[in-house]
Amino acid sequence: MRKTLCIIIVLVFISVWPAWSLDIKSVGVPYIQNYTKATYQFGNQNWSVTRDEHDIMYFGNAEGLLSFDGKYWQQYHMPNGLIVRSVSADGKGRVYAGGYGEFGYWHNDGKGILKYTSLINLVPKNFLPVTEEIWKIYCDNNRVLFQSFGAIYIYSAGKIEVVKTREPYLFLFKSGNRFFVEQLTKGLFELKGSKTEYIEGSNILGASGVLSILPFQQGKYLIGTAKNGLFIYDGKTVKPWANQANDFLTTYQLNNGAAIAGRYFAYGTILNGIVIIDTTGRVVQHINKASGMQNNTVLSLYTDASQNLWAGLDNGIDRIEVNSPLYFYFDKTGKFGTVYSSIIFDKKIYLGTNQGLFYSDWLPDSHNSPFQTFDFKLIPGSQGQVWDLSLQDNRLLCGHNDGTYQVNGASIKKISDITGGWNIKKMAPDMLMQGTYTGLVIYRKDAAGNWQYSHKLAGFSEPSRYVERDAKGQIWVSHAYKGIYKLTLSADQRTVVSHVYYDQKHGLPGSYNINVFDLDNRTVFSSDSGFYVYDDITDRFYKYQQLNSKLGTFATSSKIIKAIGKKYWFINQGRVGLADMSVTGKLTIDTNRFSILNGQMVQHYETINRINNSTYLISVDDGFVILNDADAQLPNMVKIPNVLIRRIENVTDKVSLISEAAEDSNNIEIPYAENNIRISYSLPYYTQAKIRFQYYLEGYSHQWSEWAPQSQKEFTNLNQGTYNFKVRAKINDQYQSAVSTITFTVLPPWYAGKLAMVFYVLLAVLLFYVIRYYYGLKLKKHQQQIQQKLQKEKEEFLKQEAIANEQHIVNIKNEQLQADLASKSRELANSAMNIVYKNELLQKISDELTHLKGGDGKKLADEQLRRIQKVIDEGMSDDRDWNIFETSFNEAHENFFKKLKAGHPDLVPNDLKLCAYLRMNMNSKEIASLLNISLRGVEIRRYRLRKKLNLEHDKNLTEFLIEL
């Protein structure tokens, strides 16, 4: 129970802290953030301002509805391109807007897209058409009030009730839980329900018009009029309120108002910007174009939860950081040039510039006069470059290009002619040492306490930018351009008895940009490579690692300025950081709070002077800044808003919007074809700060990203599935927001979606039946093929069997033919042999006839022998033998003679006979018998036959004829 109570107390404390802790300063002006028309890319006029439950700012703009989330601007057009005169967020997801003849609300459509819904159709028909501008909108619990000059429209429970009177209204105001409206010529009324009640005595307000009613103190109300000043209504009477702003508001015409933290009241004017007063009526601020605003005509004012004051202008939007610890004064006219040094002394503020020494009165604690204004004047005789302003024992000294002066109010007195007084250090209670263009100068205090020039140190004439004395009494001087010197003075401190020059040979990183400073009673040396310290024993310089590691990027600072206690300012390339060394062994450096100052100070001549224990005067290029270090700690107590996950865009081919308010979207689905996306996010934290983000995409990444200032991230080639995108922010590297999460789904590709799956199932079923059908067909066909194959094989078998039978028959026939041929060959051979035998027999008979003798023992008569020989010769040369032989030969050797004649047509019958006998492989003797010639005749015929057949000499004639 106790723990719960403590938590509640802390939460209440945090919620009210910015309000009661706010202290608006009256010196300078707070930080002003200008949002130009070019920045937000919409109309120039901004008629109204509101904030929704996500801390998103909305503006009624000349071109429609404009929103801003701290990073991104969004533009929305009303129907018919109407000007949005009034806006109001109900904190429940709706932003109500009104214009000419139109009012309604913008809301998220569930997909992160802001859509407009008109309510005009709910207006009773007898009040239509609406032909006036809607000037005011207020959300009041479950009802919304829209006000025009002619009527008040109350929207509740889906219906609209119209409050209308004979006299026209001017403006409706909500102050606390009460509503007030002015009726022209009649006075101020309070709206109760749907009735108006006259406020007695309100006629004192005059006819100029009531333009603001703000909650005041203890049930009172502060009423602002256009030209008659401010009044207080205590619930019974209306009385004028005496305050410092009345004349200003009357002259420049009050136009609207806003309460700031319940302690201050800001009023926007038509002609001269904004004036802020406190509850006592004292003017604490006047902010206009001359002090940083874009325009002097303020059309609307709004205070957000962090007490930022938003001003909708006739040209642009300004955010005024009234709770900023930094207040600025800029020389917009260029009167005093570039500021090199500044200081506050004896109720005056002095600025040392490149044109001379300027001064103005300093009255920040005067509560009887209006806010602090400055009228800087040049001190006579101070023209020229002022380098240094130093307060020493209640005497203000000015280091000048022409020498050194003591400043007395609005005049100066030269105390040294040595030119170029850069830096003064107190070396003893009665002695100062100054670095100049030509060496070191000593000043001593006279009896009256004034500093007087004593002498210039002899023996050293180098340009001396910075001077420090270490714990051993050694004097260190940093050359204005190159290197560092260690000096030893004479006993009378009038002469430099020795000086040693140090550069990279002695451990330093180089010769240039080496400066010397005192840091917590230790002499340190700055360089572009970090801080160094000197070691007496080795007479060398070494890196100051302990300091460098803790300073981070500020290790390469070029200047150190003492703040208060153990706090020191570090300046690094135009960046400012405040280091706290109060805790032994620990160093913290605050840089983010001063990021506004980055680059605004004169490099190498940065000056920061302490006004009191918590206030500092900082010189900038064209003016000065007042820093309240106590106020700078206040943002620590402010609740950090959640990161807004805003736009999700498809960046696959061209950029297209998926959602513009992803944090309010439900069930974001992204087509697979658009799986390259960009997510934009922002932190609606409007106070100037260093903001960095860290993101993590569950389902894609494995860990949180590094902290980075980028406020958008692209993810490419996302696979199908559900993703959780998480993001958080860190402010000034210290304060971390809660994690914001959105869930989105990358849909499966078309071929893997639900419809595709249904299609695949149907296709599978269809394929099953198709395959089954085709399988049946194939089976049937296969069976037919098998039957056909069997039939074919059967036929083939029968065919082969028939062929085999035929072959067998052929073989039998061939065998028969071979047998016949052999028989015929035998017959032919027998016939030939018979002929040979017959011829041989006849030849023997012929031979025997020659020896044959008659009965008488005498030889036969020649006549008889010739007749017998004739018969024998006729028998031996009988053609019938040849014809029988030829017939038998042709039967045995078919076409032999045709082939022979075809190839050799010049063969004669005797040649053919010889060929036939040779084909039968007969010897010469047998051939000679058949041809009835001698063996010699056979050889001759063989020779002639070879020639007719054109045979080679190595070719056997018989083989040739057998092969034919």
Side-chain angles (χ1 to χ4, degrees):
M1 181 66 184
R2 180 178 297 174
K3 183 177 180 181
T4 303
L5 182 61
C6 290
I7 292 174
I8 293 173
I9 292 173
V10 169
L11 290 175
V12 172
F13 176 73
I14 290 175
S15 65
V16 302
W17 175 270
W20 62 260
S21 64
L22 181 65
D23 182 20
I24 299 178
K25 305 299 184 294
S26 60
V27 180
V29 295
Y31 175 74
I32 302 172
Q33 177 76 56
N34 299 135
Y35 302 108
T36 65
K37 177 181 177 180
T39 300
Y40 58 74
Q41 297 289 306
F42 224 37
N44 57 314
Q45 293 179 320
N46 294 277
W47 292 95
S48 55
V49 189
T50 190
R51 179 180 60 89
D52 73 0
E53 66 274 16
H54 298 301
D55 292 325
I56 299 174
M57 303 300 301
Y58 291 90
F59 305 88
N61 185 270
E63 292 188 19
L65 180 68
L66 181 65
S67 74
F68 180 53
D69 58 18
K71 181 67 176 181
Y72 301 104
W73 295 89
Q74 297 275 14
Q75 304 82 18
Y76 307 95
H77 292 281
M78 291 284 285
N80 303 315
L82 293 175
I83 298 172
V84 176
R85 300 287 186 184
S86 53
V87 292
S88 180
D90 66 355
K92 302 174 184 178
R94 291 184 177 183
V95 178
Y96 291 88
Y100 178 79
E102 176 64 47
F103 59 85
Y105 61 88
W106 292 86
H107 68 105
N108 191 295
D109 66 354
K111 295 182 179 179
I113 306 297
L114 211 60
K115 299 291 185 182
Y116 179 74
T117 300
S118 176
L119 297 176
I120 286 294
N121 59 330
L122 299 179
V123 176
K125 292 183 179 180
N126 56 315
F127 292 102
L128 291 175
V130 177
T131 57
E132 297 177 304
E133 298 274 8
I134 303 299
W135 288 102
K136 299 288 183 180
I137 302 176
Y138 296 102
C139 296
D140 181 41
N141 295 323
N142 294 322
R143 64 176 189 162
V144 183
L145 289 77
F146 303 87
Q147 181 255 322
S148 69
F149 288 152
I152 298 173
Y153 304 89
I154 302 175
Y155 172 61
S156 179
K159 297 181 180 180
I160 288 180
E161 182 182 2
V162 181
V163 180
K164 193 175 180 67
T165 61
R166 292 182 180 179
E167 299 297 331
Y169 300 115
L170 187 56
F171 292 115
L172 176 70
F173 301 97
K174 181 181 181 182
S175 187
N177 294 321
R178 300 175 69 176
F179 289 89
F180 301 93
V181 62
E182 182 181 15
Q183 291 185 27
L184 294 180
T185 71
K186 285 195 172 183
L188 190 64
F189 290 75
E190 182 176 358
L191 178 67
K192 295 183 177 181
S194 59
K195 305 295 183 182
T196 57
E197 293 184 5
Y198 179 68
I199 295 177
E200 296 294 335
S202 62
N203 57 328
I204 193 175
L205 298 173
S208 66
V210 175
L211 298 180
S212 173
I213 301 179
L214 303 174
F216 198 54
Q217 298 173 330
Q218 300 175 350
K220 297 179 181 180
Y221 299 90
L222 188 58
I223 302 173
T225 63
K227 297 181 180 179
N228 295 329
L230 302 178
F231 297 80
I232 292 179
Y233 173 53
D234 61 5
K236 296 181 180 179
T237 59
V238 180
K239 295 180 180 179
W241 184 44
N243 62 86
Q244 295 177 355
N246 264 343
D247 291 341
F248 178 91
L249 295 174
T250 299
T251 303
Y252 298 112
Q253 194 172 343
L254 181 150
N255 193 39
N256 40 60
I260 305 175
R263 298 177 57 195
Y264 300 95
F265 307 93
Y267 289 100
T269 68
I270 296 294
L271 302 174
N272 201 358
I274 298 171
V275 66
I276 300 176
I277 62 176
D278 61 16
T279 53
T280 66
R282 184 174 69 96
V283 175
V284 295
Q285 273 295 327
H286 174 215
I287 309 167
N288 58 12
K289 188 172 184 179
S291 56
M293 290 180 64
Q294 298 178 78
N295 192 272
N296 278 329
T297 301
V298 182
L299 299 180
S300 56
L301 281 178
Y302 182 85
T303 306
D304 67 18
S306 299
Q307 304 306 311
N308 290 294
L309 184 63
W310 295 83
L313 307 177
D314 192 56
N315 189 10
I317 299 169
D318 283 346
R319 180 183 63 84
I320 303 167
E321 205 168 293
V322 293
N323 57 352
S324 170
L326 298 170
Y327 277 70
F328 298 80
Y329 178 85
F330 295 111
D331 175 26
K332 297 294 184 179
T333 63
K335 180 178 181 179
F336 46 69
T338 302
V339 179
Y340 282 77
S341 184
S342 60
I343 200 168
I344 295 172
F345 172 65
D346 197 20
K347 295 184 179 181
K348 285 183 172 53
I349 179 170
Y350 294 91
L351 302 180
T353 77
N354 63 327
Q355 297 182 14
L357 182 61
F358 292 80
Y359 77 98
S360 179
D361 291 332
W362 176 263
L363 304 170
D365 299 323
S366 176
H367 293 278
N368 297 322
S369 61
F371 62 95
Q372 174 74 62
T373 58
F374 297 101
D375 181 20
F376 283 97
K377 297 176 183 178
L378 179 66
I379 295 179
S382 70
Q383 291 90 336
Q385 177 70 60
V386 175
W387 294 117
D388 180 51
L389 291 172
S390 177
L391 187 61
Q392 301 291 342
D393 294 341
N394 207 36
R395 296 293 187 273
L396 181 60
L397 302 181
C398 171
H400 196 280
N401 182 65
D402 298 332
T404 301
Y405 300 85
Q406 180 171 305
V407 182
N408 302 307
S411 63
I412 57 174
K413 176 184 177 183
K414 181 177 279 191
I415 60 174
S416 170
D417 290 323
I418 307 299
T419 58
W422 268 324
N423 179 267
I424 291 180
K425 284 288 179 178
K426 196 170 190 178
M427 298 296 176
D430 64 342
M431 186 183 83
L432 301 176
M433 182 178 292
Q434 182 184 45
T436 71
Y437 293 166
T438 56
L440 300 174
V441 175
I442 302 296
Y443 297 91
R444 294 195 180 274
K445 191 182 294 185
D446 63 12
N450 296 317
W451 294 100
Q452 301 293 335
Y453 172 77
S454 174
H455 59 276
K456 185 174 182 291
L457 288 177
F460 185 77
S461 59
E462 297 293 336
S464 304
R465 183 68 182 86
Y466 295 103
V467 180
E468 290 291 346
R469 183 165 62 181
D470 63 18
K472 295 185 177 181
Q474 300 174 118
I475 305 299
W476 292 92
V477 177
S478 63
H479 193 280
Y481 307 104
K482 187 176 181 181
I484 197 92
Y485 290 87
K486 182 176 72 173
L487 311 182
T488 302
L489 305 185
S490 61
D492 60 1
Q493 297 183 333
R494 301 189 68 86
T495 304
V496 176
V497 295
S498 71
H499 63 272
V500 181
Y501 175 74
Y502 293 92
D503 55 15
Q504 60 266 36
K505 297 177 182 178
H506 301 83
L508 290 172
S511 301
Y512 293 92
N513 301 321
I514 307 296
N515 297 316
V516 58
F517 302 100
D518 177 77
L519 180 64
D520 197 22
N521 297 320
R522 183 170 187 178
T523 304
V524 298
F525 302 85
S526 68
S527 75
D528 294 337
S529 299
F531 285 97
Y532 284 73
V533 292
Y534 174 72
D535 180 61
D536 281 313
I537 298 176
T538 60
D539 193 30
R540 290 184 64 82
F541 291 85
Y542 298 93
K543 268 195 172 183
Y544 196 171
Q545 297 289 8
Q546 298 91 332
L547 177 64
N548 292 334
S549 61
K550 292 179 179 179
L551 286 176
T553 58
F554 276 82
T556 55
S557 297
S558 59
K559 193 166 188 177
I560 300 176
I561 302 172
K562 184 172 178 55
I564 185 173
K566 291 193 174 184
K567 290 184 176 182
Y568 292 86
W569 295 98
F570 283 79
I571 314 295
N572 181 22
Q573 299 295 322
R575 295 168 56 229
V576 183
L578 181 59
D580 188 350
M581 303 172 64
S582 302
V583 180
T584 303
K586 183 179 180 181
L587 183 150
T588 60
I589 184 163
D590 184 1
T591 63
N592 300 302
R593 290 187 292 140
F594 315 110
S595 59
I596 299 174
L597 300 175
N598 291 349
Q600 295 200 44
M601 305 173 76
V602 181
Q603 191 171 6
H604 305 306
Y605 295 94
E606 302 89 350
T607 58
I608 302 176
N609 286 297
R610 182 165 57 88
I611 300 173
N612 53 46
N613 288 343
S614 62
T615 308
Y616 296 89
L617 177 66
I618 304 172
S619 300
V620 293
D621 290 342
D622 53 353
F624 60 87
V625 177
I626 302 296
L627 166 67
N628 190 303
D629 194 37
D631 286 350
Q633 306 301 324
L634 294 182
N636 299 357
M637 304 302 297
V638 177
K639 181 181 178 182
I640 307 302
N642 290 331
V643 177
L644 300 179
I645 303 174
R646 302 292 283 157
R647 296 172 69 90
I648 300 180
E649 297 168 297
N650 165 35
V651 294
T652 303
D653 294 320
K654 60 180 180 179
V655 178
S656 60
L657 183 65
I658 297 174
S659 173
E660 63 183 4
E663 69 275 0
D664 292 330
S665 303
N666 298 319
N667 193 26
I668 300 175
E669 293 184 340
I670 300 172
Y672 187 80
E674 300 176 0
N675 64 346
N676 300 301
I677 64 171
R678 178 169 60 213
I679 301 177
S680 301
Y681 38 88
S682 64
L683 185 73
Y685 184 80
Y686 301 102
T687 301
Q688 192 72 15
K690 177 184 177 182
I691 299 175
R692 297 197 298 165
F693 298 93
Q694 189 180 44
Y695 63 85
Y696 172 41
L697 182 60
E698 285 186 356
Y700 182 87
S701 309
H702 298 291
Q703 60 185 8
W704 285 89
S705 69
E706 297 294 328
W707 290 101
Q710 288 75 25
S711 60
Q712 61 181 21
K713 174 61 181 175
E714 290 189 6
F715 298 98
T716 58
N717 297 321
L718 293 175
N719 293 323
Q720 68 182 73
T722 299
Y723 296 86
N724 293 317
F725 178 74
K726 299 181 178 182
V727 62
R728 57 192 177 192
K730 184 181 286 186
I731 298 177
N732 294 336
D733 292 328
Q734 292 177 300
Y735 315 111
Q736 187 170 305
S737 72
V739 175
S740 297
T741 305
I742 62 163
T743 300
F744 63 90
T745 300
V746 177
L747 298 175
W750 64 267
Y751 52 82
K754 292 181 180 179
L755 289 177
M757 292 302 172
V758 173
F759 172 75
Y760 295 150
V761 171
L762 294 176
L763 183 60
V765 172
L766 179 62
L767 286 174
F768 171 76
Y769 284 105
V770 170
I771 291 172
R772 183 178 177 185
Y773 172 74
Y774 277 103
Y775 181 75
L777 291 178
K778 187 175 181 181
L779 183 60
K780 187 176 180 181
K781 186 177 180 181
H782 185 60
Q783 290 174 344
Q784 291 176 350
Q785 288 177 345
I786 291 174
Q787 291 177 355
Q788 291 174 358
K789 185 177 181 181
L790 290 174
Q791 183 66 30
K792 189 174 180 180
E793 287 178 352
K794 183 178 179 181
E795 291 176 354
E796 184 69 22
F797 176 75
L798 294 174
K799 183 179 179 181
Q800 290 297 327
E801 189 175 16
I803 292 172
N805 292 334
E806 290 178 2
Q807 186 67 35
H808 184 62
I809 293 170
V810 169
N811 290 337
I812 293 173
K813 288 181 178 180
N814 287 338
E815 290 176 359
Q816 183 65 39
L817 290 174
Q818 289 294 331
D820 291 344
L821 180 60
S823 177
K824 289 182 181 295
S825 296
R826 284 193 300 272
E827 290 177 2
L828 178 62
N830 291 334
S831 175
M833 292 309 294
N834 288 334
I835 295 172
V836 171
Y837 177 71
K838 182 198 76 166
N839 288 343
E840 286 179 352
L841 182 60
L842 292 174
Q843 183 64 40
K844 285 180 179 182
I845 293 172
S846 176
D847 290 338
E848 287 297 328
L849 285 177
T850 58
H851 302 288
L852 186 62
K853 295 180 179 179
D856 57 2
K858 295 182 181 180
K859 290 184 181 181
L860 294 179
D862 290 336
E863 181 65 26
Q864 289 178 330
L865 289 175
R866 280 195 296 272
R867 286 197 301 269
I868 294 172
Q869 188 63 43
K870 181 178 179 184
V871 172
I872 292 172
D873 290 338
E874 286 176 357
M876 292 180 66
S877 59
D878 191 356
D879 288 335
R880 288 177 298 175
D881 292 336
W882 170 250
N883 290 333
I884 294 170
F885 176 83
E886 184 179 15
T887 300
S888 298
F889 186 86
N890 281 329
E891 288 178 358
H893 303 285
E894 186 180 2
N895 299 325
F896 176 77
F897 294 115
K898 290 181 180 180
K899 291 180 182 179
L900 198 57
K901 288 289 287 183
H904 307 281
D906 55 340
L907 295 177
V908 297
N910 285 333
D911 294 328
L912 294 176
K913 291 178 181 180
L914 179 59
C915 288
Y917 299 147
L918 290 172
R919 174 70 176 80
M920 292 182 67
N921 202 19
M922 291 182 175
N923 56 36
S924 296
K925 183 178 179 182
E926 292 171 339
I927 294 172
S929 175
L930 289 171
L931 293 178
N932 197 21
I933 59 174
S934 64
L935 289 175
R936 178 65 178 165
V938 173
E939 293 300 326
I940 292 171
R941 286 192 180 188
R942 285 173 64 98
Y943 173 74
R944 290 174 179 171
L945 180 59
R946 289 180 64 88
K947 292 194 67 175
K948 287 183 179 182
L949 293 176
N950 295 320
L951 292 181
E952 299 292 335
H953 69 279
D954 57 346
K955 181 68 174 177
N956 186 278
L957 177 59
T958 301
E959 290 179 359
F960 170 76
L961 293 173
I962 291 172
E963 292 172 356
L964 186 64

